[in-house]
Amino acid sequence: MDEDLESGLLRWKSTIESGSCGRDNDDLEWAYKKIEKVSSAYYGEHYRYLMMITGDGYMQDYEPSEDKYGLPSTTAPWQAESIRNDRILDAIFWGDTGDGLGSSNRMDSIGKYAFAHMWGPHNIVMTDNNDDEGDASIEFIDDYAFYDSSFDCFMSAESSYDVINLPYLSRIGNYAFYDCGFSTMDWTIAPNLTDLGKYAFAGCENLCRITLPDSLTEIKEGTFKDDRVLVTVNLPSKLQKIGSFAFENCSGIITITIPESVTYIGDGAFKNCSSLESIVITGPVELGNNVFEGCTNLKSVVINASADIPATVFKNCSSLVKAEISGNAGLGEGLFEGCKKLETLNVYGDTSISARVAKDCSALKSVLIRSTEEIGESAFEGCSSLESLRVSYVVNAISEKAFKGCSSLKPKFLSYQNITRGRDYMIRYARSHSIR
């Protein structure tokens, strides 16, 4: 909170409008308060306003609506046209101001659409005199609560630098902060958060850094989608699932550490993260379709896969240089096809090399395959720079055209000495296809 706003708390003028906002019989009240007259270059001379919420209980839910101009609004009483069109709201304040202006024992929730489409206020200021530590008592922030609003921070009433704690918060609803003005959010202020809704922080154009609490085990669909300036993401140490499109179009992320506890990453989770340079996934993980599609700056991947890797995972990863795949998982058809800069491919574990897996990877120089049932049709066709192929064990066969056009592959670099079944086939294949 800036100094003007802090001093303004001590100079309340009058209550302009007020009413009840509690759910059922809960005793929550809201009041629109006029502070002082100020002047600015943009607005000229005007009054400043705060919205105060006091009392106990859960806030009621509201519905989306439109104002008389057809612009999006909600049915929340503080969004009435008589308020929202003519007054500049500096902050929403609930709790005890310390000067007898109002107090709240327990405000337990923020209702659906409560502050959606509100522009002007930047601060959500709270305190709670029911807690010896001064922590806020909010248990959940419901769906669309701050959808398309200009809020950019939660803070304590004590100081603009004191971030309020939310130890009781367990759920943030779907689209709760969609398209909000946050730039940095450290959600370790909510150490018991277990449910983060779909698209909760999607479309936040100013969000550049976020830290999530270790209590969270799932990032749901689209949670940070289209947060294009997001650079730093600190994931929970116990995270198990990253949902579809969770970080799609987050073009500012350069690197991200995937906890070993993650077992599933959904479709398009990191699609079009065009600045992402490397990815390391050490825990056995199942990958959905198009997980890294369009990561045009991705240079290195290390993945321990627990299930077959779909064909489109690395689609249009045009800068990929090195890939290491471990785990007992098959490589989907055309997995690295078109990765023109791929130089090294190491595949550990029991796998199957599908058709066209690295077709036309003209920069590919070295391939290591620990164990495979087969090498599919045209798997390495057109890999004209391939010099070294090491295969420890082949169960069945090498398909036609598997190494067609591998003009740099020489017999002395073709290692098949450890093959117990299929060794003779490898030798005959090398000779019959004139690999030199």
Side-chain angles (χ1 to χ4, degrees):
M1 192 189 311
D2 60 39
E3 292 182 2
D4 289 339
L5 187 53
E6 288 189 54
S7 62
L9 287 173
L10 302 177
R11 295 192 296 276
W12 294 77
K13 298 296 184 182
S14 59
T15 297
I16 307 301
E17 295 192 41
S18 62
S20 173
C21 58
R23 181 181 297 183
D24 299 326
N25 295 320
D26 288 350
D27 181 24
L28 277 183
E29 300 287 332
W30 69 276
Y32 220 82
K33 302 274 189 177
K34 181 189 293 185
I35 315 176
E36 60 183 346
K37 184 176 286 188
V38 294
S39 180
S40 68
Y42 186 80
Y43 292 106
E45 193 173 72
H46 63 278
Y47 279 102
R48 306 183 77 184
Y49 294 85
L50 288 179
M51 180 178 158
M52 170 70 82
I53 299 176
T54 59
D56 303 325
Y58 296 92
M59 182 183 288
Q60 70 181 76
D61 294 331
Y62 299 98
E63 299 292 335
S65 65
E66 292 183 350
D67 64 16
K68 65 181 180 181
Y69 303 105
L71 298 175
S73 181
T74 80
T75 57
W78 47 83
Q79 298 236 45
E81 292 180 23
S82 61
I83 296 177
R84 68 184 255 139
N85 289 342
D86 301 318
R87 298 174 189 151
I88 298 171
L89 182 65
D90 283 301
I92 292 176
F93 189 102
W94 59 81
D96 185 4
T97 64
D99 54 13
L101 296 175
S103 64
S104 172
N105 290 322
R106 278 197 76 87
M107 177 177 166
D108 295 320
S109 73
I110 300 176
K112 292 180 180 177
Y113 290 97
F115 304 110
H117 308 298
M118 289 190 72
W119 287 88
H122 293 282
N123 302 318
I124 305 167
V125 187
M126 42 179 136
T127 186
D128 193 329
N129 64 358
N130 186 57
D131 193 313
D132 291 338
E133 301 297 326
D135 296 330
S137 58
I138 294 172
E139 297 174 10
F140 63 89
I141 299 171
D142 222 326
D143 299 347
Y144 299 91
F146 295 96
Y147 183 93
D148 185 34
S149 295
S150 60
F151 300 102
D152 55 23
C153 65
F154 282 114
M155 63 173 62
S156 166
E158 299 299 324
S159 166
S160 59
Y161 300 102
D162 291 342
V163 177
I164 193 72
N165 290 319
L166 299 169
Y168 307 103
L169 183 67
S170 63
R171 178 169 69 86
I172 296 176
N174 299 331
Y175 296 87
F177 294 96
Y178 185 96
D179 196 20
C180 274
F182 292 114
S183 58
T184 299
M185 277 306 298
D186 183 349
W187 281 99
T188 55
I189 62 173
N192 295 304
L193 181 66
T194 57
D195 187 358
L196 182 58
K198 296 179 180 178
Y199 298 91
F201 294 97
C204 294
E205 295 181 353
N206 298 321
L207 184 62
C208 61
R209 179 185 177 89
I210 192 157
T211 299
L212 298 172
D214 287 338
S215 56
L216 198 65
T217 60
E218 179 181 359
I219 296 176
K220 294 183 180 179
E221 177 183 324
T223 301
F224 300 101
K225 186 178 185 291
D226 297 328
D227 293 349
R228 299 181 188 276
V229 300
L230 184 62
V231 175
T232 303
V233 181
N234 296 312
L235 298 178
S237 61
K238 299 178 182 178
L239 187 66
Q240 297 176 11
K241 181 178 179 181
I242 299 175
S244 298
F245 319 115
F247 295 95
E248 183 181 4
N249 298 328
C250 292
S251 53
I253 297 177
I254 297 174
T255 182
I256 188 168
T257 300
I258 307 295
E260 189 173 353
S261 55
V262 173
T263 59
Y264 179 80
I265 300 178
D267 296 348
F270 295 95
K271 184 177 179 181
N272 296 330
C273 291
S274 54
S275 296
L276 186 64
E277 294 182 352
S278 65
I279 196 81
V280 176
I281 306 175
T282 56
V285 66
E286 179 182 353
L287 300 176
N289 295 306
N290 308 93
V291 172
F292 300 107
E293 179 184 349
C295 294
T296 53
N297 204 41
L298 186 63
K299 298 176 176 64
S300 172
V301 296
V302 178
I303 296 176
N304 182 3
S306 62
D308 290 353
I309 301 177
T312 55
V313 166
F314 299 108
K315 184 177 180 181
N316 297 328
C317 291
S318 54
S319 298
L320 190 61
V321 174
K322 184 176 182 179
E324 294 189 4
I325 310 293
S326 59
N328 300 327
L331 307 188
E333 289 191 13
L335 182 61
F336 297 103
E337 186 175 7
C339 295
K340 300 293 186 181
K341 295 183 179 180
L342 184 65
E343 296 181 0
T344 302
L345 174 61
N346 296 332
V347 184
Y348 308 101
D350 297 327
T351 188
S352 60
I353 308 298
S354 300
R356 307 187 322 280
V357 73
K359 186 175 184 290
D360 295 327
C361 292
S362 55
L364 187 61
K365 296 179 180 179
S366 174
V367 174
L368 182 151
I369 302 173
R370 178 176 175 268
S371 178
T372 182
E373 294 182 358
E374 64 176 339
I375 298 178
E377 182 83 10
S378 301
F380 298 97
E381 181 179 349
C383 297
S384 56
S385 299
L386 185 61
E387 297 175 346
S388 174
L389 172 66
R390 290 172 290 166
V391 183
S392 299
Y393 184 76
V394 172
V395 175
N396 292 320
I398 300 175
S399 301
E400 285 295 320
K401 301 180 183 178
F403 297 99
K404 181 180 180 181
C406 296
S407 55
S408 299
L409 191 60
K410 300 176 175 62
K412 68 178 181 178
F413 293 115
L414 183 61
S415 175
Y416 44 75
Q417 282 76 12
N418 295 325
I419 298 175
T420 56
R421 282 187 291 171
R423 179 174 183 274
D424 291 341
Y425 185 89
M426 284 286 287
I427 296 173
R428 290 197 303 273
Y429 183 89
R431 290 173 177 171
S432 65
H433 288 76
S434 301
I435 297 177
R436 293 180 174 84

